[in-house]
Amino acid sequence: MVTIKTKDEIEKMHRAGKLLAACHREIAKMIRPGVTTWEIDQFTEQFLHENGATPEQKGYKGYPYATCASVNDVICHGFPKKEPLNNGDIVTIDMVVNLDGWLADSAWSYAVGSVSEEAGNLLETTKESLYKGIEQAVIGNRIGDIAHAIQVFAEERGYSVVRDFTGHGIGQKMHEEPQVPHYGPAGRGTRLKDGMVLTIEPMLNTGMYFATVDLDGWTARTVDGSLSAQYEHTIAITQDGPLILTAQ
């Protein structure tokens, strides 16, 4: 069942989103060759604690970290590690913030040092595809309109769109209805209504869209070793258009 949020509830989620965005801005300052995703994870947990919030995914179905840290061919759900990032890597940091019982969710991909043209173009296109999807997140449209806009934009530029992982509704629970795929035909799926809150989180690959999961049960990689990137915002559907709750 899709949960409609009141304006007051959306404002509470917006406060969580603003804190999450502030954390990402601090993480952006940390990204450089030699830093570890373990250090980023430790920073994130401390930052949230100091601001009266908690990392919602820590402990979710046994997940042990405050963030997901996905490097190069990792699509999503990568574990933070103590190995340093290298010049030319790309890394996605994904987190869900719980502030006073209300959640916000956002992933951001970062270039580590100087990256290849291939990696830079992937990052740019993936971010743009997110905003193409957000443009369709208006009252009266359907989930499929978001999905179709992302797929068309990405595939016209030669990238594949991951099928195995989707966006979702969010509120006081991390995953609510509806699911928000990033591919498929327009005009299908749940109709968007005032007060719905969703995550839109396209994952684009330079190679095939297929994913494989490591033996840890979490880390999802491209099957062909190609690069993957992800950008995600939590948005509210409002009378004034999509409101990005995690805007940086």
Side-chain angles (χ1 to χ4, degrees), residues 10-238:
I10 289 172
E11 178 54 34
K12 290 176 181 177
M13 296 185 72
H14 201 176
R15 287 197 287 271
K18 289 175 180 177
L19 179 60
L20 193 161
C23 189
H24 265 303
R25 287 195 296 270
E26 293 303 313
I27 289 170
K29 299 173 186 176
M30 298 175 67
I31 300 290
R32 64 184 184 280
V35 74
T36 71
T37 52
W38 173 265
E39 291 170 323
I40 292 169
D41 187 76
Q42 295 295 295
F43 166 81
T44 298
E45 186 159 13
Q46 182 66 24
F47 181 92
L48 297 182
H49 176 74
E50 289 174 353
N51 286 277
T54 56
E56 182 69 10
Q57 73 261 50
K58 187 170 185 178
Y60 176 77
K61 295 185 177 180
Y63 187 80
Y65 302 105
T67 62
C68 298
S70 304
V71 181
N72 294 333
D73 67 325
V74 178
I75 296 170
C76 59
H77 304 157
F79 285 6
K81 295 183 178 178
K82 295 183 179 180
E83 291 82 5
L85 294 170
N86 296 311
N87 187 63
D89 286 342
I90 59 174
V91 57
T92 301
I93 305 297
D94 186 8
M95 72 183 83
V96 183
V97 170
N98 183 327
L99 181 63
D100 299 326
W102 292 91
L103 308 181
D105 187 357
S106 179
W108 216 249
S109 290
Y110 298 96
V112 182
S114 299
V115 300
S116 66
E117 183 178 3
E118 177 188 41
N121 289 340
L122 172 65
L123 294 175
E124 181 179 353
T125 301
T126 308
K127 185 190 293 184
E128 287 186 49
S129 76
L130 167 63
Y131 290 104
K132 291 294 183 183
I134 291 173
E135 287 174 4
Q136 299 300 315
V138 296
I139 294 171
N141 273 4
R142 293 184 181 273
I143 292 293
D145 298 317
I146 297 171
H148 187 68
I150 290 169
Q151 183 179 14
V152 168
F153 182 80
E155 291 183 352
E156 283 180 348
R157 284 154 182 78
Y159 300 97
S160 66
V161 181
V162 173
R163 267 69 162 166
D164 291 350
F165 306 98
T166 70
H168 48 86
I170 187 171
Q172 291 187 295
K173 295 181 179 179
M174 192 187 313
H175 296 118
E176 298 180 352
E177 292 296 326
Q179 291 192 41
V180 185
H182 306 108
Y183 69 98
R188 304 263 185 99
T190 302
R191 192 174 295 280
L192 302 177
K193 298 179 181 179
D194 186 22
M196 292 173 64
V197 181
L198 314 168
T199 73
I200 302 175
E201 46 185 294
M203 289 151 268
L204 271 54
N205 299 343
T206 57
M208 296 186 293
Y209 64 74
F210 302 104
T212 182
V213 178
D214 287 0
L215 292 177
D216 62 24
W218 287 96
T219 305
R221 299 180 185 272
T222 59
V223 295
D224 53 8
S226 61
L227 295 175
S228 187
Q230 179 189 15
Y231 288 87
E232 172 189 15
H233 275 313
T234 299
I235 65 153
I237 311 298
T238 78

